[in-house]
């Protein structure tokens, strides 16, 4: 079990669907992250929120829309995705600068 | 066609032997480095970290070495166990953007019982 909870664990969606991935942490961490991971590849940074404000967007396509409703929650809204967006989406949090990230176990997304 | 990067570097070691996993990082401005372990079906898990003002740090059965001159990081695992089988990633934290944590390509460690 991890201290970062991601739901759902698996998601299958069509290219015209709208869905959301959810992430929750109750460790009081100030920063939350979305990473995308393809098979046999390292996690790729997508977004970072610091104190509920978007601090980093790694030129992610607008069909991915992050949201941080409060300090414990992070969402990733998905719309009009492509099959190549199929991947493991990982959420992480960290307490302070230069501290380890705590990861959830990810949402396995398949776009059909 | 796509062929580069489809295969993770793999290290196979006998149970009980020591393992050394290497990583070359890209940015000389990075000043904080972390090793993560990722088991199948799980998210990466923190193992050990090191700051750029150190060249060695030891944990329980693990040691990280940092060589800033050649931008090289290594993870040593003593008395490797079957439970150590996983993919290992080094990650660097950029000094210019402390929240930007970038992962290296990863190494798959396979422990032979």
């Amino acid at each position: 079990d991890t201290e970062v909870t991601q739901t759902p664990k698996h998601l299958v969606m069509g290219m015209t669907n709208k869905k959301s991935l959810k992430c929750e942490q109750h460790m009081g961490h100030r920063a939350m992250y979305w990473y995308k991971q393809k098979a046999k590849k390292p996690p790729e940074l997508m977004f970072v929120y610091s104190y509920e404000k978007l601090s980093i967007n790694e030129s992610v396509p607008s069909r991915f829309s992050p949201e941080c409703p409060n300090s414990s929650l992070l969402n990733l809204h998905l719309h009009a995705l492509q099959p190549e967006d199929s991947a493991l989406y990982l959420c992480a949090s960290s307490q302070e600068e230069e501290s380890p990230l705590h990861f959830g176990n990810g949402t396995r997304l398949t776009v059909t | 066609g796509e062929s580069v990067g489809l295969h993770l570097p793999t290290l196979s070691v006998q149970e009980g032997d020591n393992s050394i996993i290497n990583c070359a990082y890209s940015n000389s401005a990075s000043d904080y480095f972390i090793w993560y372990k990722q088991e199948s079906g799980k998210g990466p898990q923190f193992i050990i970290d090191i700051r750029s003002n150190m060249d060695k740090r030891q944990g329980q059965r693990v040691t990280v070495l940092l060589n800033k001159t050649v931008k090289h990081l290594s993870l040593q695992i003593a008395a490797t166990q079957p439970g150590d089988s996983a993919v290992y990633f080094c990650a660097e934290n950029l000094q210019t953007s402390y929240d930007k944590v970038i992962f290296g390509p990863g190494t798959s460690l396979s422990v032979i019982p």
Side-chain angles (χ1 to χ4, degrees):
Chain A
D1 288 347
T2 72
E3 295 164 306
V4 176
T5 304
Q6 290 188 244
T7 55
K9 288 191 169 71
H10 301 274
L11 179 62
V12 179
M13 61 185 290
M15 289 189 283
T16 58
N17 290 160
K18 282 185 183 182
K19 295 285 185 183
S20 296
L21 309 185
K22 296 187 182 303
C23 175
E24 191 167 0
Q25 59 91 10
H26 293 290
M27 295 176 282
H29 286 177
R30 59 114 195 138
M32 295 186 76
Y33 302 70
W34 281 115
Y35 281 83
K36 172 183 176 180
Q37 187 177 27
K38 302 282 267 186
K40 298 188 186 300
K41 296 284 191 169
E44 294 175 27
L45 183 62
M46 299 175 73
F47 302 105
V48 182
Y49 275 82
S50 179
Y51 296 111
E52 302 169 44
K53 287 186 170 31
L54 184 65
S55 61
I56 295 177
N57 176 342
E58 289 286 276
S59 303
V60 179
S62 60
R63 58 186 185 269
F64 295 91
S65 175
E67 179 197 17
C68 189
N70 61 54
S71 60
S72 300
L73 294 175
L74 185 66
N75 299 322
L76 187 62
H77 303 298
L78 314 173
H79 173 54
L81 294 194
Q82 304 297 310
E84 57 265 29
D85 296 321
S86 298
L88 180 68
Y89 288 84
L90 292 161
C91 174
S93 68
S94 69
Q95 171 58 28
E96 57 194 30
E97 295 168 353
E98 296 194 342
S99 66
L101 302 183
H102 294 248
F103 282 88
N105 285 328
T107 293
R108 176 74 60 190
L109 175 68
T110 303
V111 182
T112 61
Chain B
E2 184 181 24
S3 60
V4 175
L6 280 181
H7 303 285
L8 273 175
T10 300
L11 175 66
S12 294
V13 298
Q14 203 72 38
E15 181 179 358
D17 287 352
N18 296 336
S19 304
I20 300 177
I21 300 171
N22 296 304
C23 176
Y25 63 93
S26 56
N27 197 320
S28 55
S30 295
D31 62 355
Y32 175 60
F33 305 88
I34 318 103
W35 279 100
Y36 290 94
K37 172 187 181 183
Q38 187 174 25
E39 296 174 279
S40 181
K42 294 188 177 180
Q45 179 185 9
F46 167 75
I47 303 172
I48 192 167
D49 57 3
I50 188 167
R51 287 180 169 72
S52 60
N53 60 353
M54 303 170 71
D55 52 22
K56 180 178 180 178
R57 189 162 189 224
Q58 288 185 285
Q60 188 178 12
R61 276 202 313 120
V62 294
T63 300
V64 55
L65 299 177
L66 174 62
N67 185 331
K68 293 182 289 293
T69 304
V70 295
K71 292 192 285 187
H72 183 267
L73 201 63
S74 69
L75 176 71
Q76 301 176 2
I77 304 174
T80 313
Q81 301 167 2
D84 295 327
S85 294
V87 178
Y88 289 81
F89 295 101
C90 67
E92 58 185 302
N93 203 153
L94 299 182
Q95 190 179 40
T96 51
S97 177
Y98 282 115
D99 285 338
K100 193 162 182 173
V101 180
I102 304 300
F103 281 71
T107 297
S108 178
L109 175 66
S110 179
V111 180
I112 305 161

